[in-house]
Amino acid sequence: PLSGAICFKNVHFDYLDDKPVLREVSVEIAAGESVGLVGQSGAGKSSFVNLIPRFYDVSEGVIEIDGIDIRQLRLKDLREQIAYVPQMPMLFNATVAENIRVGCPEATQAELIEAARQANALDFIDSLPNGLETVLSERGNSLSGGQRQRIAIARAFLKDAPILVLDEATSALDNQSDRFIQEALTRLAQDRTTLIIAHRLNSLESVERRLYFEKGQIAGDGSHQSLLEESSGYQKLVNADADQCSAG
């Protein structure tokens, strides 16, 4: 098991050798630290995160976890160190228990139940016709968005990986679901290296450090207040986010 310290060293990345997606990215993230990734759509946030589990390899530079070049790790071993909670979790036409066990197929029943409890999912699971043995419809359409998200969070609890990636896990949820999920995510992020891709800046209220991406580079690294004072691009992002929230 790794502790989860992440280091990008002069990383460049492009998909088709014609337009750089990331350029000269160098940053260190300490083990157990929570960091928000912010910037306009297409600025490089998702590409930054996708390089860590090696969904793609860097074009130049090095990414290290705990000082080890990730290309020296077996892909299976590397990905076992990373849990991912997406905006739209993928659920399967299988039981609730089987859907949660995606996080750790060999988990015991007691471990599975504890993961569901930590994810604030146990109450709604118990209310289903057959509890954990209830078969979900394809893509989990028989559940609400908040319920699907809590099953995805339960998977991450069960996996118990040192690195956690959250891709706006509270997006487009009602206030009640949002509260349950924020509580679960706060517990999940504790003592893990957590990268939060933020499309809504208010989802980062509890996160001190933010990386501001602009045109494939990290154009700012600091607290919300320091970035407001130092980065005109970040100021525009904050203003645009505030306008969007007001319009909503």
Side-chain angles (χ1 to χ4, degrees):
L2 301 173
S3 65
I6 300 171
C7 181
F8 277 59
K9 296 181 176 179
N10 197 32
V11 167
H12 295 245
F13 172 65
D14 53 71
Y15 290 105
L16 299 172
D17 297 326
D18 58 351
K19 184 178 180 182
V21 178
L22 293 173
R23 296 177 293 136
E24 300 175 354
V25 173
S26 295
V27 67
E28 294 186 25
I29 299 169
E33 184 177 18
S34 290
V35 180
L37 311 182
V38 302
Q40 299 285 352
S41 178
K45 306 182 297 295
S46 295
S47 297
F48 177 88
V49 165
N50 287 338
L51 291 176
I52 298 171
R54 290 188 62 198
F55 294 146
Y56 305 95
D57 275 327
V58 299
S59 303
E60 295 179 35
V62 176
I63 300 172
E64 295 177 346
I65 298 179
D66 291 6
I68 304 167
D69 186 332
I70 60 174
R71 290 170 293 193
Q72 295 177 1
L73 298 170
R74 289 190 305 176
L75 208 53
K76 178 177 182 293
D77 293 337
L78 171 64
R79 291 177 181 175
E80 282 179 350
Q81 310 301 314
I82 303 165
Y84 176 61
V85 180
Q87 265 184 292
M88 300 291 288
M90 177 61 72
L91 301 187
F92 305 100
N93 183 205
T95 67
V96 173
E98 288 168 329
N99 269 282
I100 295 175
R101 273 204 171 91
V102 168
C104 181
E106 65 273 16
T108 66
Q109 187 77 355
E111 290 169 336
L112 188 150
I113 290 171
E114 177 59 16
R117 187 186 69 78
Q118 293 275 13
N120 281 344
L122 204 53
D123 284 348
F124 90 77
I125 291 173
D126 286 342
S127 72
L128 297 174
N130 296 305
L132 283 164
E133 297 310 310
T134 302
V135 177
L136 301 180
S137 62
E138 193 67 37
R139 299 184 182 275
N141 290 333
S142 52
L143 301 179
S144 70
Q147 290 170 338
R148 290 196 296 270
Q149 205 67 299
R150 279 177 273 174
I151 287 181
I153 294 168
R155 286 175 176 169
F157 270 111
L158 200 61
K159 188 168 187 179
D160 195 23
I163 297 172
L164 173 65
V165 176
L166 304 177
D167 188 353
E168 193 56 272
T170 60
S171 181
L173 298 176
D174 59 77
N175 289 336
Q176 173 113 357
S177 295
D178 190 62
R179 179 175 63 82
F180 280 129
I181 288 169
Q182 286 289 8
E183 289 174 359
L185 291 176
T186 298
R187 283 196 293 271
L188 181 59
Q190 190 171 358
D191 300 324
R192 303 179 204 275
T193 307
T194 305
L195 305 177
I196 306 169
I197 301 174
H199 307 287
R200 298 184 305 171
L201 295 181
N202 62 3
S203 66
L204 294 177
E205 289 176 357
S206 62
V207 179
E208 178 65 20
R209 184 183 178 190
R210 305 178 182 196
L211 301 180
Y212 169 58
F213 286 78
E214 189 175 274
K215 296 179 181 179
Q217 293 184 302
I218 296 179
D221 180 355
S223 67
H224 170 67
Q225 191 57 44
S226 67
L227 288 175
L228 273 179
E229 295 169 358
E230 298 167 7
S231 171
S232 60
Y234 184 78
Q235 291 172 17
K236 292 177 183 176
L237 188 71
V238 170
N239 292 336
D241 187 68
D243 291 343
Q244 187 174 4
C245 289
S246 299

